[in-house]
């Protein structure tokens, strides 16, 4: 026992944060610590997603973890970055996979944007600039591989000033989609739209149907994909089925039926930052409350079926810091073998670029998700 604690302190626990850089490969998770990529630059993948993919790299088939997320090096106006890793500790920067279009001229004059968007009409170019232009909001990007089309589909929360709301940065409330044949892009924006809604009189925001803000994706065992999002002015969570291409709703919002094509979970509960995962056949939907960039208490809803009756399992966090999710907000849950891992953002609203990442192991006890805090831990099961 003493020996293994000593080994852990030597390999990980005794390293001061400034030593955890490119010259010494990481061999553990240190929640909230400075986290550099293998070039020694601060990892920029906030509000992100980690998942394992098999893809072609230099003519070879490789299986790696891929982390995509918001590049906040310019503060508010994010683009989407990608990183890859074989061990989940050390991450290679793979580039900016979704870039915002700087101007109308760039579509003609910049070869990067010209190759993606030259065929668009003037109207479509205007829509493109509204969606991913200089002042658009791009948040919480999430990625799926689509086996039917052998391509990659990137969804994100797309927002910005709307024609009726020119003072509020989140006046649009859309979900947007971009596609690429290669996992590391470039991704071509194709659409930004509202999603499913209810009109039964209980809609918390009936004048703005189908809003989508914080969002996530979920791929079920049968390859059916779903988009999970907060709607109704951040008051109600929805899960909607996507089409076979994963690029749109399975059924247009005007025709979609609650319970068949989508579900609305705990209306008015004011939850955001949704992450859906499945353990032992049961669906677990983790979310935060809605307090801007400030941490708050997480909650898990669970159900035996994806559109079924979700029950409130309460706060999954255990121990000191549980009331503020260990000063994080949920963004991704992924698996390393049989180990489920939580990834949360520790936002710094004054300097979004320096927002930190918190990786923590998840356990399931009596069919309830639980997250405990460790200041250092590794995938060999050592935790302090
Ligand atoms: C909380 C959300 O979860 C973030 O993605 C971001 O939209 C902030 N709110 C903005 O205040």
């Amino acid at each position: 026992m003493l020996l293994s604690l000593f080994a852990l302190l030597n390999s990980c626990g005794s390293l001061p944060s400034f030593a955890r850089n490119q010259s010494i490969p990481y061999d553990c998770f240190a929640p909230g610590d400075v986290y550099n990529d293998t070039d020694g630059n601060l990892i920029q993948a906030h509000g992100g997603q980690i998942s394992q993919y098999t893809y072609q790299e230099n003519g070879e088939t490789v299986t790696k973890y891929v982390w995509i997320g918001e590049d906040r090096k310019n503060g508010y106006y994010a683009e989407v970055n990608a990183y890859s890793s074989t061990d989940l500790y050390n991450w290679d920067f793979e580039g900016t996979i979704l870039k915002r279009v700087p101007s109308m001229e760039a579509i003609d004059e910049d070869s990067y944007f010209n190759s993606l968007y030259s065929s668009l009409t003037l109207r479509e170019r205007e829509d493109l600039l509204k969606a991913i232009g200089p002042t658009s909001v791009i948040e919480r990007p999430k990625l799926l591989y689509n086996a039917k089309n052998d391509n990659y589909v990137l969804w994100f929360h797309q927002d910005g000033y709307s024609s009726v709301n020119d003072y509020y940065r989140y006046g649009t409330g859309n979900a947007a989609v971009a596609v690429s044949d290669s996992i590391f892009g470039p991704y071509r924006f194709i659409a930004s739209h509202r999603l499913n809604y209810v009109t039964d009189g209980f809609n918390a925001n009936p004048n703005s149907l189908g809003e989508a803000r914080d969002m996530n994706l979920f791929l079920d065992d049968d390859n059916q994909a779903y988009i999970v999002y907060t709607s109704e002015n951040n008051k109600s969570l929805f899960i909607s089925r996507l089409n076979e291409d994963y690029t749109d709703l399975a059924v247009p919002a005007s025709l979609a039926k609650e319970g068949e094509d989508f579900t609305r979970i705990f209306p008015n509960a004011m939850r955001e930052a949704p992450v859906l995962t499945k353990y032992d056949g049961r669906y677990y939907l983790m979310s935060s409350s809605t307090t801007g960039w400030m941490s708050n208490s997480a909650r898990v809803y669970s159900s035996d079926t994806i559109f079924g009756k979700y029950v409130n399992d309460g706060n999954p966090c255990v121990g000191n810091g549980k009331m503020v999710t260990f000063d994080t907000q949920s963004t991704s849950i992924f698996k390393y073998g049989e180990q489920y891992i939580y990834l949360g953002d520790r936002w710094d609203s004054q300097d979004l670029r320096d927002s930190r990442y918190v990786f923590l192991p998840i356990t399931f006890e009596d069919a309830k998700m639980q997250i405990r805090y460790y200041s250092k831990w590794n995938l060999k099961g050592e935790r302090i």
Side-chain angles (χ1 to χ4, degrees):
M1 170 66 187
L2 259 184
L3 194 66
S4 70
L5 188 60
F6 182 71
L8 181 62
L9 285 173
N10 260 350
S11 68
C12 172
S14 65
L15 286 179
S17 58
F18 61 81
R20 290 174 48 89
N21 63 26
Q22 65 278 17
S23 58
I24 306 169
Y26 298 137
D27 58 2
C28 69
F29 297 108
D33 215 343
V34 169
Y35 204 178
N36 289 333
D37 65 17
T38 52
D39 295 326
N41 299 316
L42 218 47
I43 293 178
Q44 287 297 323
H46 311 280
Q49 172 210 44
I50 292 177
S51 197
Q52 202 176 38
Y53 297 90
T54 298
Y55 56 92
Q56 294 296 308
E57 183 182 81
N58 303 324
E60 278 180 35
T61 303
V62 296
T63 298
K64 292 190 181 183
Y65 293 95
V66 172
W67 183 358
I68 65 153
E70 300 156 14
D71 177 354
R72 292 280 187 180
K73 71 173 176 303
N74 295 321
Y76 215 94
Y77 296 107
E79 300 188 309
V80 182
N81 279 349
Y83 297 81
S84 68
S85 174
T86 49
D87 61 10
L88 282 174
Y89 305 128
N90 298 284
W91 294 90
D92 295 328
F93 179 54
E94 298 286 358
T96 300
I97 60 172
L98 181 83
K99 293 191 179 174
R100 54 176 69 244
V101 184
S103 64
M104 194 60 105
E105 293 74 40
I107 301 172
D108 289 322
E109 292 165 9
D110 182 320
S111 58
Y112 179 92
F113 296 108
N114 192 258
S115 65
L116 293 173
Y117 302 120
S118 62
S119 65
L120 297 188
T121 62
L122 179 61
R123 176 70 203 277
E124 288 167 336
R125 289 176 186 215
E126 284 166 358
D127 288 347
L128 174 72
L129 272 153
K130 248 184 246 156
I132 58 167
T135 61
S136 316
V137 171
I138 296 174
E139 288 183 352
R140 297 191 172 266
K142 303 290 178 297
L143 186 64
L144 287 175
Y145 170 68
N146 184 279
K148 173 177 161 257
N149 298 325
D150 187 22
N151 70 354
Y152 296 87
V153 185
L154 179 74
W155 281 83
F156 55 96
H157 168 202
Q158 187 278 311
D159 227 306
Y161 306 99
S162 75
S163 50
V164 289
N165 203 337
D166 61 3
Y167 57 92
Y168 177 45
R169 218 196 298 249
Y170 293 93
T172 311
N174 279 7
V177 62
V179 294
S180 175
D181 290 337
S182 317
I183 187 161
F184 300 126
Y187 281 80
R188 183 171 51 83
F189 168 87
I190 50 175
S192 173
H193 35 61
R194 292 288 175 92
L195 300 176
N196 287 317
Y197 52 84
V198 296
T199 50
D200 60 3
F202 296 108
N203 187 325
N205 197 16
N207 297 323
S208 187
L209 296 178
E211 285 176 354
R213 290 201 166 84
D214 281 8
M215 52 137 291
N216 220 311
L217 298 173
F218 175 73
L219 188 62
D220 213 338
D221 307 326
D222 58 1
N223 272 341
Q224 176 63 59
Y226 298 85
I227 184 164
V228 189
Y229 52 100
T230 183
S231 191
E232 300 177 358
N233 202 13
N234 279 353
K235 293 209 170 55
S236 307
L237 288 171
F238 280 62
I239 303 175
S240 292
R241 200 151 41 84
L242 293 178
N243 65 10
E244 287 189 349
D245 298 331
Y246 303 165
T247 53
D248 205 343
L249 294 172
V251 175
S254 57
L255 302 174
K257 294 198 177 70
E258 190 173 359
E260 283 177 32
D261 306 304
F262 71 93
T263 188
R264 185 168 65 142
I265 298 159
F266 287 93
N268 267 318
M270 302 198 67
R271 309 301 302 175
E272 63 180 1
V275 188
L276 183 60
T277 192
K278 195 175 184 180
Y279 171 79
D280 204 13
R282 192 166 173 85
Y283 298 86
Y284 293 84
L285 175 58
M286 183 175 177
S287 63
S288 74
S289 184
T290 53
T291 53
W293 303 106
M294 277 160 40
S295 309
N296 52 55
S297 293
R299 190 179 295 165
V300 168
Y301 300 129
S302 69
S303 167
D304 282 333
T305 56
I306 191 142
F307 289 162
K309 178 113 189 75
Y310 282 79
V311 295
N312 184 350
D313 290 346
N315 188 347
C317 299
V318 180
N320 280 346
K322 70 175 188 179
M323 297 312 285
V324 287
T325 319
F326 313 114
D327 195 10
T328 72
Q329 190 182 29
S330 40
T331 190
S332 185
I333 292 174
F334 57 96
K335 284 178 81 177
Y336 171 79
E338 293 308 305
Q339 175 70 63
Y340 284 70
I341 298 175
Y342 166 78
L343 171 61
D345 294 292
R346 183 171 290 168
W347 297 111
D348 180 345
S349 61
Q350 301 307 305
D351 184 5
L352 286 170
R353 176 191 44 170
D354 196 28
S355 300
R356 301 291 173 83
Y357 310 102
V358 171
F359 290 71
L360 290 171
I362 293 176
T363 54
F364 289 88
E365 293 163 36
D366 297 328
K368 296 273 192 320
M369 184 194 288
Q370 303 222 309
I371 305 175
R372 291 180 172 77
Y373 185 80
Y374 301 96
S375 58
K376 303 266 163 43
W377 65 283
N378 64 24
L379 295 166
K380 292 186 276 187
E382 296 166 310
R383 294 165 184 181
I384 52 176

